């Protein structure tokens, strides 16, 4: 009975798999044909110039804006979290409100923290044509992003530990995630496991999409093997 059920699941999934495979083959053929008739140097010079202008003139301001976002959101989260903790009663809804405030603030800080690395890389790539004061602004802003993110992450973690006294760990500790996970109960660990599975699925899909994009851009624009290699490494590590 079990083998029949497995066979029926395979038969139901097979048409979708074959359809996706056929679509991938068609896309590959189309890309190959276009690559045969397209010169890699035909990438519009206007687009290159526009990207160069943007990264040269705007990178420092973007980094400064990200630093401002982290400081504003972090300060607001800490202030609101302290007020909510001071007024906290025994109601479950009050605990949920504080937890929601701290979680949203931490997520926004993390969301601003990640693109800062990208724009810092852009800052280094376009450092030569960039005015000295802009490069200095970008460097100072990136340092401010790192400092503010770490400080406010720790402040939010400290508030969370006041909300849940059983929690353990410090952001400054390299084993923070292990210690925090060790202080979680079974229900929280189940939620973490579900989130980890969802994150791995999202990572797999994103890596596959990026792999396709980098292969196509290399075919047309000779972007090189490094982007393909980098995303492949990330894809591999996500399964370890």
């Amino acid at each position: 009975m079990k083998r029949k059920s497995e066979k029926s699941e395979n038969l139901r999934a097979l048409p979708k798999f074959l359809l996706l495979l056929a679509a991938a083959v068609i896309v590959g053929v189309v890309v190959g044909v276009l690559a045969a008739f397209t010169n890699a140097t035909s990438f519009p010079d206007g687009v290159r110039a526009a990207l160069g202008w943007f990264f040269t003139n705007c990178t420092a301001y973007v980094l400064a804006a990200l630093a401002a976002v982290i400081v504003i959101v972090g300060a607001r989260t800490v202030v609101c979290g302290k007020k909510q903790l001071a007024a906290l009663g025994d109601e479950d809804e009050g605990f949920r409100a504080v937890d929601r405030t701290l979680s949203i603030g931490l997520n926004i800080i993390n969301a601003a923290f990640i693109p800062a690395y990208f724009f810092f890389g852009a800052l280094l790539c376009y450092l030569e044509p960039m005015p000295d004061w802009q490069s200095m602004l970008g460097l100072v802003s990136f340092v401010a992003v790192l400092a503010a993110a770490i400080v406010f992450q720790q402040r939010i973690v400290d508030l969370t530990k006041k909300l849940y006294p059983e929690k353990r760990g410090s952001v400054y500790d390299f084993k923070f995630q292990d210690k925090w996970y060790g202080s979680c109960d079974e229900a929280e660990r189940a939620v973490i496991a579900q989130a980890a599975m969802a994150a791995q699925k999202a990572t797999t899909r994103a890596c596959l999409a990026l792999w396709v994009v980098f292969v196509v851009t290399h075919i047309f624009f000779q972007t090189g093997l490094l982007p393909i290699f980098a995303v492949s490494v990330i894809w591999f590590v996500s399964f370890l």
Side-chain angles (χ1 to χ4, degrees):
M1 190 71 180
K2 185 178 179 181
R3 292 192 63 183
K4 288 184 178 179
S5 176
E6 290 176 353
K7 288 183 179 179
S8 62
E9 288 183 357
N10 290 336
L11 290 175
R12 286 197 300 268
L14 185 59
K16 293 182 180 180
F17 174 76
L18 293 177
L19 183 62
L20 180 62
L21 185 62
V25 171
I26 293 172
V27 171
V29 171
V30 171
V31 170
V33 172
L34 290 175
F37 292 97
T38 303
N39 190 345
T41 60
S42 63
F43 187 81
D45 292 335
V47 176
R48 290 182 187 272
L51 290 175
W53 180 90
F54 174 80
F55 287 119
T56 300
N57 295 281
C58 301
T59 297
Y61 301 122
V62 174
L63 286 170
L66 290 172
V69 167
I70 291 176
V71 170
I72 293 171
V73 172
R76 185 180 184 280
T77 300
V78 170
V79 171
C80 292
K82 285 183 176 180
K83 288 182 179 179
Q84 289 176 326
L85 277 172
L88 190 62
D90 296 330
E91 299 83 1
D92 290 340
E93 190 60 34
F95 278 87
R96 293 195 188 98
V98 181
D99 186 75
R100 189 182 310 114
T101 298
L102 298 178
S103 297
I104 292 175
L106 189 60
N107 288 336
I108 294 176
I109 290 174
N110 290 335
F113 189 56
I114 295 171
Y117 278 96
F118 168 78
F119 282 100
F120 181 67
L123 179 74
L124 297 179
C125 291
Y126 290 88
L127 198 60
E128 186 174 347
M130 192 177 298
D132 292 340
W133 68 270
Q134 280 193 2
S135 60
M136 184 59 64
L137 173 63
L139 179 60
V140 171
S141 298
F142 181 69
V143 173
V145 165
L146 296 180
I150 293 173
V151 169
F152 284 115
Q153 282 174 347
Q154 183 59 51
R155 296 292 298 277
I156 293 172
V157 167
D158 289 340
L159 291 175
T160 304
K161 288 159 70 174
K162 290 182 179 180
L163 184 65
Y164 304 107
E166 71 277 6
K167 297 298 183 185
R168 295 290 180 270
S170 170
V171 172
Y172 307 131
D173 189 350
F174 288 110
K175 295 184 178 180
F176 166 72
Q177 292 181 334
D178 294 334
K179 292 182 179 179
W180 190 267
Y181 182 79
S183 65
C184 294
D185 56 27
E186 292 184 1
E188 290 174 320
R189 292 186 181 186
V191 172
I192 293 172
Q194 293 176 356
M197 183 178 296
Q200 187 180 50
K201 290 170 62 177
T203 301
T204 299
R205 293 170 181 171
C207 287
L208 177 59
L210 288 173
W211 182 85
V212 172
V213 169
F214 291 146
V215 168
V216 172
T217 53
H218 174 68
I219 291 173
F220 287 100
F221 313 130
Q222 299 298 307
T223 54
L225 185 62
L226 183 59
I228 302 172
F229 174 75
V231 75
S232 299
V233 170
I234 296 172
W235 198 353
F236 176 76
V237 170
S238 68
F239 288 96
L240 297 180

